[in-house]
Amino acid sequence: MLTDKNPNFSRQKVLILIYVPWFLAIITQLDPVISYFVAWSGSFYIFYLTLFSKVKFIPHDLPLTRQVMRPIVLIQLIFAGFMCCTSVFYFMDHMGYEYFNKVSIIPFKANELTYYIAKCQRMSLLAHAALVTGMIVQIKQFPVIKHKLNLNLDFFLIWLCIGCYLLGATASKIASISQFSFGLINISITCSALVFVRGIVQRKRGYIFFGGGLFVFNFLASTLTGYKESIIINVIIISFLLYPYYKKVILTLALPTIYILLYILPTFASIIRSQAWSGQKTALEARTAAFNAVLTSDAPLIDETNWGFLTNRLSEISMFTKFVKHIPAERDYYGLEIFKNSLLAIIPRFIWPNKFITETISMERVYEARVAYKGSDVSAKTRPVVDGYVSAGFIGVFISIFLYGWLTQWLCNKAEEWFGGYELGCIVMFNAIFQNLWRGNNFEFLLNNIFYGYIAMYAIFWMLKRSNTLTEVDVYKNTAGNSSI
């Protein structure tokens, strides 16, 4: 359970200790199996150090259980969890195991791929350490709030939910501003979930029906898409919002929920895609078929489908190893090329009609490394750790992911500063608008999302301030309540 009994006021303690497992993984690199597992377990050590230990460095305005939506908790768990922890399935498959049962009759012997996997895991661990380093450097232990909300929060969340949904639906139909629709719709979804949770805590039936009804409607809609991510995101949002008030219940349900998401969901989503996307059935019919298939199919069919998902789709380490083989042996590092393209991708198309297609240019390095082939229907875009490596090796990994963590925490600080604190600032505005930061994307898309997300957040702040919904406080107070500036 997350606790906050031993506040720490020194960044240096935790920043030194989080790099210990990376050094150990480097020392043991001559044995790739040992080095891999040292690096893999090192991420769990960083989770412990930054969230549970006496030397953790977090804001002190709230108990840790009440600030789980801040980057050091939510984004670290998701981003580093996917980047570092999910690779174990691929590595066990490489060693001849399936679901941790030995299926290969040939005794395992380390080969070239084993060394590449271990190297990629070490760089992923370095990226994890760099991520939390960037966050900790930006964390304010006594966050400063410069504005306050002049309306009842529950009342405001309801109207914000409705308003952002209508604006998002409108924006989605206008090509020049369609990218703003995702953030607005995400704000609406997050507001509905927060109203639902606050209704449960306050025992207000109206809030429960309004927030719960909208959230359930959105969740059911996400099951029609064929995308696993939309379902998982909804589960994450409601789980993290409920955790501060129902810790034992959420922790008890955590393992069966993870089992369902990782074991059953891939088969469920693949059936919907194969039937609905091809036009064989409507989305509703495909969902019904998917439910029936999951409930009645024999275990071997599900095992086969999901082991492939766990080894090659859940983790990007297979892609990472191909890039490490390719660069710098076959091609030199990209240097600032990807960053320059990311800056150019920000320019609106109505200003630059002949601008390159971002998807196309970002896939070029995927084709060069033979991760995917032109003409295939695979969209295998890189993740931040891979883009950091192909730009400048392990130094590129450290610098890019450090900046990723630094910017993530800075945006959260700014959201709380503008919108009156944790609930409206961090939970709603930051996590809804910058939801892409949870797991990351390639640099071209990521920088674009951050840039226009910041514009959207400032526009909402400006409108609320102009309407006097948000007002500037006379004295900027830190939220710990024991000092002011």
Side-chain angles (χ1 to χ4, degrees):
M1 185 181 297
L2 299 176
T3 60
D4 194 20
K5 296 180 180 179
N6 303 99
N8 168 48
F9 292 85
S10 172
R11 286 182 172 90
Q12 288 73 20
K13 293 179 183 178
V14 67
L15 289 181
I16 292 173
L17 292 174
I18 60 175
Y19 290 92
V20 170
W22 181 70
F23 284 112
L24 291 176
I26 292 294
I27 293 171
T28 59
Q29 64 182 302
L30 292 179
D31 188 320
V33 176
I34 293 176
S35 184
Y36 169 85
F37 280 110
V38 169
W40 181 75
S41 59
S43 285
F44 293 95
Y45 169 80
I46 294 177
F47 287 140
Y48 166 76
L49 206 65
T50 55
L51 300 179
F52 302 96
S53 72
K54 295 180 180 179
V55 298
K56 63 182 179 292
F57 191 87
I58 60 171
H60 288 158
D61 57 327
L62 297 167
L64 184 55
T65 54
R66 300 291 296 275
Q67 54 175 308
V68 293
M69 298 289 280
R70 279 177 172 152
I72 193 65
V73 182
L74 177 62
I75 292 183
Q76 182 192 178
L77 289 175
I78 297 174
F79 187 91
F82 276 110
M83 177 176 63
C84 302
C85 303
T86 57
S87 65
V88 69
F89 301 108
Y90 180 80
F91 191 68
M92 295 302 291
D93 184 73
H94 168 69
M95 295 180 69
Y97 288 79
E98 185 173 322
Y99 290 108
F100 304 102
N101 295 317
K102 184 71 171 178
V103 294
S104 175
I105 60 175
I106 302 173
F108 174 76
K109 184 177 180 181
N111 54 32
E112 183 185 38
L113 179 57
T114 315
Y115 283 91
Y116 277 121
I117 297 172
K119 181 178 180 179
C120 291
Q121 190 66 32
R122 291 194 297 270
M123 282 193 283
S124 296
L125 176 62
L126 177 64
H128 187 178
L131 176 78
V132 295
T133 299
M135 290 178 179
I136 290 171
V137 167
Q138 267 295 316
I139 284 177
K140 298 180 184 296
Q141 286 201 307
F142 303 105
V144 174
I145 297 175
K146 295 186 177 181
H147 300 85
K148 64 178 181 180
L149 184 67
N150 286 332
L151 300 175
N152 174 272
L153 179 59
D154 297 314
F155 173 80
F156 177 73
L157 288 173
I158 291 172
W159 283 105
L160 185 65
C161 175
I162 297 171
C164 284
Y165 181 82
L166 295 175
L167 286 173
T170 302
S172 67
K173 300 180 184 300
I174 305 172
S176 59
I177 59 171
S178 60
Q179 66 186 54
F180 291 105
S181 66
F182 301 107
L184 292 169
I185 295 296
N186 286 340
I187 290 174
S188 179
I189 294 170
T190 306
C191 283
S192 67
L194 185 55
V195 169
F196 173 62
V197 171
R198 288 174 66 85
I200 294 175
V201 174
Q202 299 172 23
R203 298 181 180 179
K204 294 183 178 180
R205 292 182 180 179
Y207 294 162
I208 294 174
F209 289 132
F210 175 84
L214 286 178
F215 187 80
V216 170
F217 172 80
N218 175 73
F219 180 82
L220 292 176
S222 69
T223 63
L224 297 171
T225 63
Y227 291 108
K228 299 176 290 293
E229 291 79 3
S230 56
I231 298 174
I232 294 172
I233 286 171
N234 280 280
V235 172
I236 289 173
I237 290 172
I238 201 67
S239 299
F240 273 75
L241 288 177
L242 285 170
Y243 177 78
Y245 310 101
Y246 303 98
K247 289 183 279 292
K248 292 182 179 179
V249 174
I250 297 300
L251 291 174
T252 301
L253 294 175
L255 286 178
T257 301
I258 292 172
Y259 171 82
I260 292 172
L261 292 177
L262 296 185
Y263 184 67
I264 297 176
L265 185 58
T267 301
F268 176 84
S270 66
I271 293 173
I272 292 178
R273 286 198 298 269
S274 64
Q275 296 186 5
W277 292 10
S278 63
Q280 296 178 24
K281 296 181 179 179
T282 66
L284 284 172
E285 291 172 339
R287 184 176 65 183
T288 301
F291 273 124
N292 292 334
V294 168
L295 293 175
T296 60
S297 289
D298 55 341
L301 175 62
I302 298 178
D303 287 349
E304 182 179 353
T305 301
N306 293 318
W307 186 244
F309 165 74
L310 292 174
T311 55
N312 291 305
R313 294 295 300 270
L314 182 64
S315 171
E316 278 88 29
I317 198 163
S318 174
M319 174 195 290
F320 200 177
T321 58
K322 293 176 182 177
F323 275 103
V324 172
K325 288 180 183 179
H326 177 62
I327 297 173
E330 301 173 359
R331 187 204 192 281
D332 198 10
Y333 295 110
Y334 281 75
L336 295 176
E337 180 182 336
I338 299 174
F339 178 69
K340 290 177 182 177
N341 288 336
S342 301
L343 291 177
L344 293 174
I346 294 174
I347 302 174
R349 193 165 296 277
F350 71 85
I351 295 177
W352 183 10
N354 296 323
K355 188 180 78 169
F356 55 78
I357 298 174
T358 308
E359 173 81 12
T360 301
I361 198 169
S362 65
M363 285 294 292
E364 282 301 319
R365 56 186 176 276
V366 176
Y367 298 141
E368 280 189 18
R370 298 182 294 279
V371 174
Y373 296 94
K374 290 186 177 181
S376 67
D377 58 355
V378 176
S379 178
K381 292 189 289 293
T382 52
R383 294 291 173 179
V385 65
V386 176
D387 277 353
Y389 172 78
V390 302
S391 295
F394 80 93
I395 295 175
V397 169
F398 178 82
I399 293 175
S400 61
I401 306 301
F402 168 82
L403 292 175
Y404 188 102
W406 185 93
L407 185 59
T408 297
Q409 185 61 50
W410 182 85
L411 289 168
C412 183
N413 292 346
K414 186 61 66 175
E416 294 192 30
E417 176 187 307
W418 284 351
F419 294 97
Y422 172 71
E423 285 188 299
L424 183 57
C426 174
I427 294 177
V428 177
M429 295 299 172
F430 170 74
N431 279 298
I433 293 174
F434 301 103
Q435 196 175 93
N436 285 324
L437 290 171
W438 286 10
R439 192 179 176 189
N441 205 334
N442 63 37
F443 285 172
E444 291 93 342
F445 282 98
L446 197 59
L447 197 59
N448 186 281
N449 295 149
I450 292 171
F451 180 81
Y452 286 105
Y454 185 82
I455 290 177
M457 186 170 74
Y458 180 79
I460 295 171
F461 165 69
W462 183 84
M463 287 188 290
L464 293 178
K465 192 173 181 182
R466 290 283 293 180
S467 64
N468 211 38
T469 305
L470 288 172
T471 55
E472 193 168 355
V473 295
D474 295 331
V475 179
Y476 298 158
K477 296 186 295 183
N478 70 62
T479 51
N482 56 4
S483 66
S484 61
I485 58 173

